Amino acid sequence: MFWYHDEVEQLARKEILPKGEKMRVLFYGSSSIRLWSTLAEDFPEFEIINQGFGGSTLAACCWFFNKLIPAYKPDAIVLYSGDNDLGDGRHPEEVYLFLQNMMEHIKESCGNIPVGIISIKPSFNREHLINSIHYTNKIFKNLLDEKYSNGTLINVFDEMLEINKSSRELYEEDGLHLTDAGYQLWKRAVRDQFLQQFVASSKDSSTKM
């Protein structure tokens, strides 16, 4: 894990500000999270923290979890990882075990907070892995449905796969990282499938007061 050292150390040194009135949502995972530069603008209803680090695997996210996450006391976590594990040759069942490990880390350190897992994306760079990606997303969902009631799989796979059939607009030239259009799709999915429930419940509470 030494190749992540410099970036992880930089993240670990970030100032931890006191929590305000907004729900604190921490985004964690690989470069698809790290490069999401508009997170705070995309979700202004929340206090956003970005702890993504480039090239990270789900294995690495588990390894560095205690160093990077609990001190921020998140109210919810959005995770994107597993993509690079498959790219490195790991089998879906291995990645499944890492997600289970991650969910246990969250439970032990942060409590039973809501967790949104963004499904692994279908990218041009990893077209040869499409069946493994699809299967990994399926067993991710099964794990969350069967064992973690606080976990939600945020499905970006189906819509991205459909768009990929006729356009490369969601991806940079490397066929792996997202363009602004790709992040707009992720923004809608994260909001509609995960974060919107907290906005609604917040509004309901304020109406009753």
Side-chain angles (χ1 to χ4, degrees):
M1 298 291 176
F2 67 90
W3 48 86
Y4 301 117
H5 182 268
D6 290 345
E7 191 170 359
V8 167
E9 287 301 317
Q10 185 177 357
L11 287 171
R13 290 195 298 269
K14 282 170 61 173
E15 183 180 7
I16 302 175
L17 299 174
K19 292 174 71 170
E21 296 181 0
K22 294 182 178 180
M23 182 178 184
R24 177 174 285 180
V25 181
L26 188 147
F27 283 71
Y28 189 42
S30 62
S31 56
S32 294
I33 294 296
R34 180 178 64 84
L35 296 171
W36 196 341
S37 60
T38 59
L39 273 175
E41 302 166 30
D42 290 341
F43 306 105
E45 307 94 327
F46 304 97
E47 179 191 346
I48 300 296
I49 296 173
N50 188 332
Q51 288 291 82
F53 56 107
S56 62
T57 58
L58 190 46
C61 287
C62 290
W63 182 268
F64 292 112
F65 180 87
N66 289 330
K67 190 180 187 70
L68 295 178
I69 306 303
Y72 287 92
K73 297 180 171 58
D75 297 307
I77 290 175
V78 176
L79 174 73
Y80 181 76
S81 197
D83 198 339
N84 291 326
D85 300 77
L86 295 176
D88 286 347
R90 290 191 172 98
H91 295 289
E93 288 81 3
E94 292 181 81
V95 188
Y96 170 97
L97 292 176
F98 289 133
L99 179 61
Q100 188 170 23
N101 191 5
M102 173 63 69
M103 294 300 293
E104 290 299 319
H105 275 311
I106 293 171
K107 182 178 179 180
E108 291 169 9
S109 300
C110 305
N112 199 40
I113 64 171
V115 182
I117 308 296
I118 301 174
S119 63
I120 300 174
K121 65 186 187 293
S123 61
F124 292 97
N125 184 275
R126 291 176 175 162
E127 282 184 310
H128 62 292
L129 293 172
I130 191 66
N131 290 332
S132 292
I133 292 170
H134 177 72
Y135 179 64
T136 304
N137 287 330
K138 179 181 177 180
I139 60 177
F140 274 11
K141 187 176 190 309
N142 289 343
L143 175 67
L144 299 176
D145 289 346
E146 294 171 6
K147 192 168 182 179
Y148 299 101
S149 59
N150 62 317
T152 300
L153 186 74
I154 302 168
N155 181 11
V156 299
F157 178 89
D158 290 341
E159 185 177 356
M160 294 182 78
L161 186 63
E162 188 62 30
I163 292 173
N164 289 353
K165 291 176 182 177
S166 58
S167 171
R168 296 177 67 97
E169 66 177 305
L170 301 179
Y171 289 93
E172 299 286 358
E173 290 184 5
D174 63 6
L176 181 64
H177 294 100
L178 298 177
T179 61
D180 289 343
Y183 281 117
Q184 284 299 309
L185 187 153
W186 277 30
K187 170 188 170 181
R188 292 193 302 273
V190 171
R191 178 180 298 284
D192 295 347
Q193 298 179 42
F194 184 59
L195 291 180
Q196 187 61 39
Q197 61 184 308
F198 307 117
V199 176
S201 62
S202 175
K203 288 181 179 177
D204 290 343
S205 299
S206 62
T207 303
K208 293 175 182 178
M209 292 178 63

